[in-house]
Amino acid sequence: LVFLDAPYRDEELSGVLESLGRVAPARILCEHHAARQLPATLGPLHRTRVATYGLTRISFYEQEAEEGR
């Protein structure tokens, strides 16, 4: 599980997310500015939920469940 709370206007966030997509932890929770659009997928991780609280948005990413799990 990775909690990512980058500065709202940090331009390097995309690179960090790309790197995490290659490492593929089981879950990522990423807090970011509500105006920032994050990708729907990061390698094998898929965005499963988005929660918005004023100007803050939290994007939840998880690996797809394997068949039979």
Side-chain angles (χ1 to χ4, degrees):
L1 174 63
V2 174
F3 292 100
L4 184 58
D5 184 9
Y8 280 168
R9 306 269 184 216
D10 191 347
E11 295 304 318
E12 294 182 25
L13 178 60
S14 297
V16 172
L17 288 170
E18 231 176 80
S19 295
L20 286 171
R22 287 192 295 270
V23 175
R27 290 189 178 109
I28 298 174
L29 278 67
C30 180
E31 182 178 342
H32 54 97
H33 193 280
R36 180 175 219 144
Q37 297 298 315
L38 297 184
T41 60
L42 300 169
L45 301 167
H46 298 273
R47 188 176 55 220
T48 58
R49 181 175 167 214
V50 176
T52 304
Y53 307 96
L55 296 176
T56 301
R57 181 169 287 162
I58 302 173
S59 294
F60 298 78
Y61 291 89
E62 293 186 25
Q63 291 190 23
E64 270 193 85
E66 294 178 21
E67 289 291 321
R69 284 182 78 184

